[in-house]
């Protein structure tokens, strides 16, 4: 049996916020934190970022439909595990994510 592993680089950055979801944060260091009118400035988040509570869930909502469309089956006992089994030249190959 051969095993391989992958690491999804910047996985949380691949999700999308919901259309009606609005998230704001403080301006990062180096940016003006107070506007010309004297009011504090905030930034509107357009994509999930690391450390954001919604980031993992948003990536999950992007990834899970793609996996099932690609032919993976979601495990009933652990919905975060997906498997795909194929016969290739008489050998059974199973991919588990």
């Amino acid at each position: 049996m051969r095993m391989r592993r992958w690491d999804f680089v910047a996985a949380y950055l691949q999700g999308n916020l919901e259309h009606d979801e609005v998230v704001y944060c403080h301006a990062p260091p180096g940016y003006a934190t107070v506007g010309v009118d004297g009011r504090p400035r905030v930034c509107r988040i357009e994509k999930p970022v690391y450390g954001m509570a919604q980031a993992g869930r948003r990536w999950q909502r992007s990834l899970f439909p793609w996996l099932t469309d690609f032919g993976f089956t979601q495990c009933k006992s652990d919905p975060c595990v997906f498997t795909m089994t194929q016969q290739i030249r008489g050998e059974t190959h199973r991919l588990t994510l």
Side-chain angles (χ1 to χ4, degrees), residues 32-42:
T33 56
V34 179
V36 293
D37 58 0
R39 295 181 8 200
R41 286 188 174 210
V42 294

Side-chain angles (χ1 to χ4, degrees), residues 22-35 39-46 49-52:
V22 179
V23 179
Y24 293 96
C25 73
H26 294 285
Y31 286 85
T33 56
V34 179
R39 295 181 8 200
R41 286 188 174 210
V42 294
C43 298
R44 182 175 178 174
I45 303 294
E46 294 186 6
V49 294
Y50 283 107
M52 192 171 125

